[in-house]
Amino acid sequence: MALPIQRCWSRLRAVTLQWPAAAGYHAKPVPLNLSGVYIPNPSDPNAKAWHKGPAFEAKLYGRYGRASGVRPEQLWPKPEELQRIEGEEKEWYPSLGEMLSRVEAKEKEELKKKQQREHLIAGNMAKMPKMVEDWRRGKREARQKEKEEKAKKQRLLLVAREKFGVTVDPRSPKFLEMMKDLEKDERRKLKAVKRMQLEEDRAAIAAAFAVKPPADSDSSSPV
């Protein structure tokens, strides 16, 4: 068992690099100055941008304390900055009471919308019988009108047959022209009937309100 393992190991060493050619790389140690406090100079033109500003000073004070040379009172935000921070906190981090009041107002609004929707549905359901009856009446009127139009067309066909003596196509110009003339005559007759009825009504009203003359008195006046 050991012989095959030795052969395999010898072949593996033959195909790999030799030890001197695979010498390890020894990097130089990083020069770190861990003694004291490193405080960059913001006025230095080579200073990094993140080494400037109150955020980095607050970081230095948080890490080194008084040894950083940063005065803690200058880290406190200015009034306008404090107002901006308070506004952001009120907008993005509301208090528990505000959150509960918002949830309650939202629930009330949803309940109000639900009640309005239920009231609308109830009102529509109450109107449903009348709407169905109106729809049925409209269908009946449409069928009646269709019957009247069909009867009118048949009557006009008979009139045209009597007038021309042959069967006339309802789509022909002669039939359409005759239909217009007959409709004009019917409207004229209807207007005449209405005018006569109006005159009769006026005459009846005038007769009803006519002032009768006083009757003659046969009695003589006293002497």
Side-chain angles (χ1 to χ4, degrees):
M1 185 69 183
L3 185 59
I5 294 175
Q6 291 178 359
R7 290 178 180 175
C8 182
W9 179 254
S10 62
R11 291 178 181 177
L12 183 62
R13 290 184 63 185
V15 298
T16 55
L17 295 175
Q18 299 296 326
W19 176 257
Y25 173 73
H26 300 283
K28 295 181 180 181
V30 179
L32 295 177
N33 184 13
L34 300 179
S35 61
V37 180
Y38 172 70
I39 301 176
N41 186 9
S43 61
D44 187 3
N46 296 325
K48 305 295 182 182
W50 55 275
H51 284 165
K52 303 175 182 179
F56 185 72
E57 292 179 355
K59 185 177 181 180
L60 288 176
Y61 187 81
R63 177 177 295 178
Y64 302 112
R66 293 179 179 273
S68 62
V70 178
R71 294 182 300 173
E73 61 271 13
Q74 70 182 13
L75 300 177
W76 189 258
K78 296 180 180 180
E80 57 272 10
E81 184 70 15
L82 186 60
Q83 291 179 0
R84 184 184 64 82
I85 294 172
E86 290 178 352
E88 291 179 354
E89 288 180 352
K90 289 181 179 179
E91 181 178 1
W92 298 104
Y93 305 100
S95 62
L96 181 60
E98 293 178 356
M99 294 174 66
L100 291 176
S101 62
R102 290 180 185 178
V103 171
E104 185 177 358
K106 186 177 180 180
E107 290 178 352
K108 288 182 179 179
E109 184 68 21
E110 291 178 355
L111 180 61
K112 182 179 179 182
K113 290 182 180 179
K114 183 179 179 181
Q115 291 176 352
Q116 291 177 353
R117 185 168 60 253
E118 291 177 352
H119 181 69
L120 179 62
I121 293 172
N124 291 335
M125 292 300 294
K127 296 177 183 177
M128 186 64 67
K130 185 177 181 301
M131 294 172 65
V132 173
E133 182 61 27
D134 293 343
W135 177 79
R136 290 176 178 173
R137 184 172 61 254
K139 295 290 287 185
R140 288 195 300 268
E141 292 176 355
R143 286 196 295 268
Q144 183 65 25
K145 187 175 181 181
E146 185 178 357
K147 288 181 181 179
E148 292 176 357
E149 290 292 335
K150 189 178 293 185
K152 183 178 179 181
K153 185 178 289 186
Q154 292 295 331
R155 181 169 55 82
L156 291 175
L157 283 172
L158 292 175
V159 173
R161 197 172 293 142
E162 292 175 358
K163 184 175 181 180
F164 295 104
V166 292
T167 304
V168 182
D169 187 4
R171 295 169 295 180
S172 63
K174 290 182 179 181
F175 180 80
L176 296 176
E177 188 66 26
M178 184 190 64
M179 188 173 179
K180 290 181 180 179
D181 294 339
L182 290 175
E183 288 179 352
K184 288 180 180 178
D185 293 339
E186 290 181 356
R187 287 196 296 269
R188 193 180 301 110
K189 291 178 181 178
L190 184 61
K191 287 182 179 179
V193 171
K194 288 183 178 180
R195 190 181 301 110
M196 291 176 61
Q197 186 177 0
L198 182 61
E199 290 177 357
E200 291 177 357
D201 294 340
R202 287 179 179 176
I205 293 172
F209 288 94
V211 179
K212 296 181 179 180
D216 296 333
S217 178
D218 296 335
S219 60
S220 59
S221 59
V223 177

